[in-house]
Amino acid sequence: MHKTKNMNWTEKDDKLTAKLKFRDFKQAFSFMTSVALEAEKMNHHPDWNNVYNNVHITLSTHDEGNKITEKDRALAGAISKIYSTFKLD
Ligand code: H2B
């Protein structure tokens, strides 16, 4: 069984954040597409930034004054699950 990616969430300033690196832009954008579809289903969306193979994610609930809520924890869990399907480089 091949090893897969594992991500770490950091909780800081009322936000959950994670910095992810991929093999290349195609892998990063493929990941973002999967996350986008899941976020749309959950009606909860990440603030994020992509520079080539790097994706930085920030989660907070805007409707609750930009605080971390269960919606952010649920989305973080869904994102971790998607990330774990990507092979290590
Ligand atoms: N995403 C996040 N991260 N926070 C929200 O408060 C939020 C959201 N609210 N996605 C949703 C959409 C809301 O704006 C819509 C109108 O349901």
Side-chain angles (χ1 to χ4, degrees):
M1 195 187 124
H2 66 257
K3 291 188 176 174
T4 52
K5 287 178 173 296
N6 222 306
M7 68 187 292
N8 290 312
W9 289 99
T10 300
E11 200 168 321
K12 202 187 163 208
D13 298 333
D14 282 332
K15 292 169 191 341
L16 288 173
T17 66
K19 292 187 173 188
L20 308 179
K21 193 178 270 294
F22 293 86
R23 185 166 59 225
D24 52 24
F25 176 74
K26 194 173 169 182
Q27 290 285 301
F29 206 86
S30 165
F31 164 81
M32 292 176 79
T33 301
S34 295
V35 170
L37 296 173
E38 192 59 34
E40 193 59 11
K41 280 186 200 164
M42 299 171 83
N43 190 31
H44 201 64
H45 303 83
D47 293 11
W48 54 9
N49 166 269
N50 163 236
V51 178
Y52 181 48
N53 63 337
N54 294 289
V55 178
H56 294 183
I57 304 175
T58 301
L59 303 181
S60 72
T61 300
H62 312 307
D63 297 344
E64 302 290 339
N66 301 311
K67 289 189 185 330
I68 298 169
T69 68
E70 281 313 306
K71 289 182 180 180
D72 300 299
R73 303 205 184 281
L75 182 56
I79 292 173
S80 295
K81 198 169 164 186
I82 290 167
Y83 192 59
S84 75
T85 67
F86 281 73
K87 287 180 193 170
L88 287 177
D89 300 332

